[in-house]
Each structure stands twice: as C-alpha cells, then as structure tokens.
Amino acid sequence: EVQLLESGGGLVQTGKSLRLSCAASGFTFWRFAMTWVRQAPGKGLEWVSSTGGDGGDAYYADSVKGRFTISRDNSKNTLYLQMNSLRADDTAIYYCAKDAQNDNGMWDWFDSWGQGTLVTVSS
Amino acid sequence: EIVLTQSPGTLSLSPGERATLSCRASQSVSSNYLAWYQHKPGQAPRLLIYDASSRATDIPDRFSGSGSGTDFTLTISRLEPEDFAVYYCQQYGRSLPFAFGQGTKVEIK
C-alpha cells in the first residue's frame, strides 16, 4: 500500500524558513516523479513544485519561484520542500503527491496523496 | 498555460439525486489529459477519474467522466451520503504547470 506522510509544518514568522518532508513507502520511490500541492484556507488546490524520479529536474509555480526548493533523497524515500522568505500568503496545507506512472516522459495525474501538513506564516 | 474553470461553485442536492459537474478549459486539453479528485476536509484528495473518462482503482461506478477538447463533465449518478465533498478537475501532460480548477462543492440540500 502506498503511503505518503508529510511533516515539518508549523507556525513561522514572515521572512523565516521551514523545511517540509514527505516520507514515502509502498512503492519504488526513485521511479516516480513527485509533486507538492497546497491549499490555502478557504481556497482550492494549487500546484507548487514538481521533481522527476532522479531529482535532477525541478519546476516551480511562479508564486514560489526563487524562494522554494524541491529535492529528494531516494536512499531515504523522502521528498523535501525547503521554503525560504515565507510570506503570509504561503499559509496553507501542503500535500505531497505521487505521479501515477513512471518512465513515460509525462507529468501524469496523482494517484496517491498524503494527508498534508499545515504551514502558518504570521508576523 | 491552461486555465480550468469549474461550475457551478456549489451544488445543493439530496442523496439519491444525480450530480453533474463541469470543467471548462481555456484551451484544448491535449489527449484529454484531465483528472478529477474528491476532497474532504482533513483528508487527502482522492483520485476518481483520469484521462477524462477512466475510473481509478476502487472507485464506484456511480462516478463517471466524459468530455473532450475544452469541456469535461464529472457525473455522480446517484449521490451517496459519503459523496458530499469538494471536487476538483486537473490538467496534466507533457509540460508543466499543472492546472487545477477552483473546485465545486457538492453539499446536502
């Protein structure tokens, strides 16, 4: 059974940093692209960042580009999101999600999601 | 960059009724690369439909997806109590960014 467990959320001041983790199990982690998606209070789902199976490529939404860094440690089956220069509008539940297919040259739908970790940015 | 617009924003229905949710894209969605998710508060989003009309594993057959090009529909044939939730469409494909619709809330009337 695929499991994704996010951690690292919490209350942080504006301008500070936070690192989120997503521990994966139940599948061959290194073979699948992974993505972070967030949901601000009262809002819908927003794509944040994605990386391929080997972690060599990284893509970001314009709203986080230059501030957030996605990475992965395939030896630990863990995905990360380093968030710097946090702003109030980064307040959200952050979900990690697993790409549905591997090795097909596409960014696919998400067949598994974690329960999310809440990040609250306040002055 | 594709923008997805879902309608209606809220759908008020009774158990047993049929729900029809719309997702319209600002440009044609390549190869019908469109997914639908169900999301309940405090839970992980759940994949329902991919490739516009393929039901995900263990999804009941009362959920169906249809459409092509720029207009897509999620239909719930007979609402069960556990189906009241927010539903999102999502576009995927060979390039990023991913796009999500803003969601449709299906609430109990």
Side-chain angles (χ1 to χ4, degrees), chain B residues 53-104:
Chain B
S53 61
S54 296
R55 205 175 297 115
T57 303
D58 295 331
I59 299 303
D61 60 7
R62 64 180 181 272
F63 291 93
S64 63
S66 63
S68 64
T70 60
D71 290 295
F72 298 87
T73 301
L74 175 70
T75 302
I76 311 171
S77 59
R78 287 178 56 86
L79 283 163
E80 297 287 341
E82 62 268 27
D83 298 337
F84 292 92
V86 180
Y87 292 83
Y88 294 94
C89 58
Q90 180 223 352
Q91 172 264 335
Y92 51 92
R94 298 198 173 278
S95 63
L96 294 172
F98 291 110
F100 287 96
Q102 80 278 22
T104 290

Side-chain angles (χ1 to χ4, degrees), chain A residues 16-39:
Chain A
K16 299 296 187 181
S17 300
L18 208 57
R19 189 178 83 156
L20 306 183
S21 300
C22 170
S25 61
F27 64 103
T28 307
F29 182 68
W30 63 267
R31 298 193 67 180
F32 291 87
M34 297 291 294
T35 291
W36 289 98
V37 175
R38 69 184 180 183
Q39 183 180 34

Side-chain angles (χ1 to χ4, degrees), chain B residues 10-23:
Chain B
T10 302
L11 204 49
S12 298
L13 295 168
S14 300
E17 289 193 295
R18 181 185 188 91
T20 303
L21 288 66
S22 173
C23 176

